[in-house]
Amino acid sequence: MVGLFVRLKLRLIRGSLRGDTAKQIGFVFSMIAAACCAFFGFLLFAVTRAADADVAQEIGIVAFTAFAMSWTIVPLLAFGLDETLDPSRLALFPLTPRQLAVGMLTAGATGPWPLASLIALFGAVIGLGRTAGGIVLGILAVLAVFAFCLVLSRTVTTALSGVLRSRRGRDLLAVAAVLVVVAGQLPNLLINRGVPGGGRALLDSLAAVLRWTPPGMAAHAISDGGLVGLGELVVVAASVVLLAWLWMLALRRALVTPDSSSQQAGSVRRSRIGRFLPSGMLGAVVAKELKYVRREPRGRIGWISAVVVSGFLAFSMHFEGSVFAIAPPAIAATMIGLQAANVFGIDGRALWMNAVVFTGERDVRTDLAGRHLGFAIIAVPLLTVLSVVSAILAGDLWAAVPAALTAWGVLGVSLGTGAITSVLSPYTLPERMNAFSSAAPGQGGLMFVSAFGAMLGTGLLAVPFVVLVAVGFTWVSVLAVLWGLLVSFGGRRLAGVVGWNRLPDLLAAVARPT
Amino acid sequence: MTNAVRTHGLFKRYGPQVAVAGIDLIVPKGSFAGLVGPNGAGKTTTLSMITTLLRPDGGVVEIDGHNVWADPIGVKGRIGVLPEGLRLFERLSGRELLLYNGQLRGIPLSEVSSRADELLRVMDLVEAQDKLVVDYSTGMRKKIGLAAALLHNPAVLFLDEPFEGVDPVSANTLTEVLRRYTESGSTVVFSSHVMDLVERLCDWVSVMSRGYIVAQGPLDSVRQGRTLNEAFLELVGARGDAPEGGLSWLGSSSA
């Protein structure tokens, strides 16, 4: 059974690479990255030997826990369910839950990344094991932690497999991915802002708590190296057995639980926004855009990241002086505008519904205007709030006025350039967002051209007035708004001509299989 | 009899592979036409080119006498489309999808709402009208897609595999709506590989194979006394029987 599942996993990896150069290159990079992680992980663990025994132990405890956490979270976010992780794929085979469990464990331990983690963990034996007993216990502890990571990750994925297969679950998970990335920045921010007692105190308090988790105990066992350590290892082993038992229960349940994606989902509220919008194509597109921001996870991710990054900027660039009131809203406006650099991407395969209606350049222009209006309805209040916040932080409330005006101008400019990149270099957004790719296979180049073009265009067209406002010519900010409107109008005009002429190509480019 | 759809030398290639090899498709006005052919025959490519979703490499397409690629304004208001693969705005509810479509075509909102309500009732989608399309079943998606295609009362309706994966109840609803639509003199062109269905519904058939039209005309002249399935298999050059031999272990299981 073990051999069979190892072969299955290897064959699945090989099968997914066959005949696809982009994926093959990606896999090679992934192998190199895994090798690097294995090497440097091992090295980093090993060099803690040079540190104080207490510090080394604390670092070990925190790092081991972090390992187990990432083993739980990363597969959920990055991969969802691969074929060997999804028990329902194996449900029809005559296998007992025990056989399934053994098989899926082996499948989980096969591959470059599990091997890399195992190698990196062994570094801890060198870093923490200061006695002969410590080294012997260390080898056992590393194996126990590795088993713990595997079983924990499998238990969580299996328990959530029902949710992961449903549309709502996947939507939630996509947004959760952004939140996890943001949460990952928190310690950074805390350390930068200065915690009372410094980094050491933070490490102390973290380690004091995490020491009692199974991975923490394992790390402690290595540095202890004596009977206490042995006792702790027994606890770790027991927790692995307990988790494995829970996992089998979850497996048994998952095998007979139907796919919840086919069940009826709830209704949406009928929106009343339509009443306040112009009738016809323009209003229809605006209403659709606003709905998509709320309902489409990819839309939500974009906006959440724009808001979060702007917030970070405002708080991390808090220096005195009105210059620093202007920069964060302007940068936020650029970021929001960048989302409009591939406006048709979010429609993807549904874009034909618009295309069969368009009868000329004017319709493409109207569609773009609707999308821009949708963006502006959310972005303008957002940028205004951000301007006020950063003006307060900069200690000059009046700076909020030029800051807001400038940000609106930048927004207009970036929407205008975005309209052009949207028709010149459109690409398909993948159905499932993940951290590694945001374009369909083979369209990475187009995505780069689009993002880079939009950045460059926005920069060239916006920097003159942003600089003028920043150095003190605040009245220029009034012109900035007009300039922004003008550029966005010009961008739509040009994009209308280009877009109409290459409408079928546009359709094909945003509807690639992912 | 005038033609609703006429192509002349319509041609499309993908790299070295010729998908549609210069076809002259004809669909008379008011007919219920079936475009049949095995997978990969070029049905979807043909329909995409006729409905302006794919640029042809050569040839002319005329709908009601208007050249599709030279005079899109004359054509786009006259056609309704249901492309293959159920490509819809997934995050709108069924009702919102219809309203969006109608408004996009410049129909006043009050008119769109009343048409949408009627279509939703006829398609038996009233209960699901406020659910997101992403949560719809295949049959429901085909029905809402057809409703969206009918909303502006087009003269010619193009449907790519409208019955694929649709349950019998929904299929019945779809055929009833289409029958009523053609009885008023409008034209339906649909692609399918379910011969029974084509035989039951259509009065005009075009058979495609490997990018060519191998037969075209009124149903009876194409099948020539045989069933459409027999005629089709012969036209596309397929053998009726599975190869002899092998599979000796299959059947009367002892395990």
Side-chain angles (χ1 to χ4, degrees):
Chain A
M1 197 52 64
V2 172
L4 187 68
F5 272 86
V6 170
R7 281 199 303 278
L8 171 67
K9 177 74 177 250
L10 292 177
R11 199 157 291 168
L12 281 171
I13 293 177
R14 216 179 314 146
S16 71
L17 297 176
R18 186 169 297 160
D20 188 338
T21 324
K23 273 194 184 160
Q24 283 166 359
I25 294 169
F27 184 70
V28 170
F29 271 106
S30 158
M31 290 283 271
I32 295 171
C36 286
C37 283
F39 178 73
F40 287 107
F42 186 87
L43 204 68
L44 281 176
F45 264 131
V47 294
T48 54
R49 194 175 184 84
D52 205 23
D54 282 351
V55 180
Q57 180 188 324
E58 286 177 354
I59 291 176
I61 289 170
V62 173
F64 270 37
T65 319
F67 248 87
M69 293 262 290
S70 46
W71 261 88
T72 321
I73 296 167
V74 172
L76 282 181
L77 297 185
F79 316 109
L81 293 167
D82 82 28
E83 286 100 320
T84 53
L85 299 191
D86 186 354
S88 72
R89 300 227 179 199
L90 304 167
L92 274 180
F93 293 102
L95 298 171
T96 62
R98 187 184 300 272
Q99 283 174 312
L100 256 187
V102 169
M104 288 173 68
L105 261 190
T106 13
T110 312
W113 286 102
L115 192 65
S117 340
L118 189 61
I119 293 173
L121 280 173
F122 267 111
V125 181
I126 297 174
L128 302 182
R130 315 260 158 145
T131 58
I135 290 176
V136 174
L137 278 188
I139 293 170
L140 292 176
V142 166
L143 290 174
V145 169
F146 187 65
F148 181 83
C149 289
L150 272 179
V151 181
L152 179 66
S153 132
R154 285 302 143 120
T155 310
V156 173
T157 345
T158 308
L160 292 179
S161 64
V163 182
L164 287 174
R165 277 198 300 267
S166 78
R167 197 260 308 163
R168 265 160 203 277
R170 285 195 307 266
D171 283 7
L172 269 180
L173 211 65
V175 177
V178 183
L179 296 181
V180 167
V181 171
V182 170
Q185 291 303 312
L186 275 181
N188 248 335
L189 206 68
L190 281 178
I191 290 169
N192 282 343
R193 307 214 87 193
V195 191
R200 180 67 210 274
L202 189 70
L203 184 65
D204 280 346
S205 50
L206 256 181
V209 179
L210 298 180
R211 186 221 169 299
W212 301 105
T213 62
M217 281 190 187
H220 187 264
I222 305 177
S223 58
D224 181 79
L227 277 179
V228 178
L230 194 64
E232 282 173 321
L233 276 191
V234 173
V235 176
V236 178
S239 62
V240 172
V241 173
L242 177 71
L243 266 179
W245 179 73
L246 283 176
W247 180 40
M248 296 238 246
L249 280 187
L251 253 184
R252 221 167 268 161
R253 221 176 67 84
L255 288 180
V256 292
T257 311
D259 190 345
S260 57
S261 62
S262 58
Q263 284 162 18
Q264 287 292 323
S267 303
V268 290
R269 246 179 339 117
R270 285 194 195 175
S271 116
R272 295 199 183 78
I273 317 169
R275 223 177 279 177
F276 306 105
L277 294 171
S279 62
M281 188 185 277
L282 185 69
V285 174
V286 175
K288 190 214 75 189
E289 279 297 297
L290 293 177
K291 283 176 195 132
Y292 260 59
V293 169
R294 286 202 310 275
R295 295 180 190 164
E296 162 71 52
R298 291 172 295 185
R300 269 185 281 176
I301 290 170
W303 283 96
I304 291 175
S305 10
V307 171
V308 167
V309 171
S310 322
F312 270 127
L313 279 175
F315 280 97
S316 55
M317 293 171 69
H318 63 294
F319 305 104
E320 295 289 314
S322 52
V323 177
F324 296 102
I326 289 165
I331 295 171
T334 316
M335 279 214 38
I336 292 169
L338 266 184
Q339 286 187 69
N342 183 32
V343 278
F344 298 112
I346 199 96
D347 288 353
R349 290 154 56 80
L351 188 61
W352 70 270
M353 281 205 149
N354 294 9
V356 287
V357 177
F358 292 164
T359 51
E361 288 157 18
R362 195 161 165 274
D363 288 338
V364 182
R365 217 157 61 218
T366 312
D367 185 334
L368 280 168
R371 290 165 201 264
H372 286 179
L373 200 53
F375 265 91
I377 288 174
I378 306 173
V380 167
L382 193 68
L383 292 173
T384 313
V385 170
L386 189 64
S387 302
V388 173
V389 170
S390 56
I392 292 173
L393 288 173
D396 177 8
L397 187 57
W398 281 110
V401 178
L405 291 173
T406 312
W408 298 345
V410 173
L411 180 70
V413 169
S414 61
L415 290 178
T417 46
I420 296 171
T421 51
S422 294
V423 292
L424 285 182
S425 160
Y427 58 89
T428 307
L429 290 175
E431 295 283 323
R432 272 182 59 89
M433 287 289 246
N434 67 40
F436 309 112
S437 137
S438 39
Q443 287 189 318
L446 281 176
M447 189 192 86
F448 178 77
V449 168
S450 163
F452 190 74
M455 286 269 264
L456 195 70
T458 309
L460 286 177
L461 291 169
V463 158
F465 68 78
V466 173
V467 169
L468 280 177
V469 175
V471 298
F473 297 96
T474 40
W475 56 270
V476 175
S477 59
V478 179
L479 296 183
V481 178
L482 292 177
W483 177 238
L485 286 173
L486 190 72
V487 172
S488 70
F489 177 77
R492 287 195 296 270
R493 186 118 205 143
L494 189 60
V497 177
V498 179
W500 170 247
N501 282 315
R502 36 184 331 233
L503 199 52
D505 313 298
L506 196 66
L507 286 181
V510 297
R512 290 264 292 251
T514 54
Chain B
M1 193 159 52
T2 50
N3 293 324
V5 184
R6 235 184 85 98
T7 75
H8 185 74
L10 193 62
F11 181 79
K12 180 78 191 177
R13 69 156 79 224
Y14 295 109
Q17 199 194 342
V18 174
V20 175
I23 59 168
D24 300 338
L25 181 80
I26 293 171
V27 178
K29 197 169 264 181
S31 59
F32 203 131
L35 180 62
V36 299
N39 288 332
K43 304 187 295 287
T44 295
T45 310
T46 305
L47 286 181
S48 298
M49 287 192 289
I50 295 175
T51 55
T52 74
L53 297 177
L54 183 69
R55 197 194 304 280
D57 291 334
V60 180
V61 182
E62 280 176 5
I63 291 177
D64 279 352
H66 297 266
N67 185 321
V68 167
W69 289 91
D71 176 20
I73 302 178
V75 168
K76 286 193 172 177
R78 278 168 214 272
I79 61 171
V81 187
L82 178 62
E84 50 109 34
L86 304 162
R87 300 176 282 167
L88 304 166
F89 283 100
E90 306 277 310
R91 306 284 166 154
L92 296 182
S93 71
R95 194 184 147 77
E96 286 167 351
L97 187 77
L98 296 186
L99 297 187
Y100 177 71
N101 253 279
Q103 284 183 284
L104 212 56
R105 290 182 180 275
I107 310 173
L109 187 58
S110 56
E111 177 66 23
V112 179
S113 320
S114 68
R115 285 191 194 182
D117 287 338
E118 264 183 86
L119 281 165
L120 288 165
R121 210 178 52 244
V122 173
M123 299 288 182
D124 196 20
L125 286 172
V126 174
E127 247 174 76
Q129 61 177 328
D130 289 324
K131 292 187 171 117
L132 294 189
V133 172
V134 70
D135 295 324
Y136 275 19
S137 67
T138 310
M140 289 159 86
R141 297 168 69 101
K142 296 272 185 193
K143 286 193 289 187
I144 199 73
L146 180 62
L150 287 171
L151 193 67
H152 59 292
N153 188 24
V156 190
L157 193 57
F158 295 93
L159 313 167
D160 200 351
E161 301 282 2
F163 299 102
E164 202 179 33
V166 177
D167 67 284
V169 179
S170 300
N172 192 47
T173 313
L174 288 175
T175 51
E176 280 312 308
V177 173
L178 292 177
R179 271 223 175 97
R180 271 169 63 180
Y181 174 75
T182 46
E183 271 163 18
S184 67
S186 304
T187 314
V188 171
V189 182
F190 81 97
S191 74
S192 179
H193 35 226
V194 185
M195 293 304 146
D196 288 344
L197 201 74
V198 175
E199 200 160 22
R200 199 151 52 81
L201 292 176
C202 296
D203 45 30
W204 182 273
V205 182
S206 304
V207 183
M208 279 192 84
S209 176
R210 298 196 182 96
Y212 291 94
I213 288 187
V214 291
Q216 179 164 252
L219 178 66
D220 287 329
S221 80
V222 170
R223 60 182 174 187
Q224 290 175 339
R226 298 161 293 181
T227 66
L228 185 62
N229 199 40
E230 287 166 354
F232 173 77
L233 288 176
E234 193 170 300
L235 281 166
V236 302
R239 286 193 300 160
D241 310 307
E244 286 295 314
L247 299 188
S248 56
W249 48 270
L250 189 63
S252 61
S253 173
S254 55

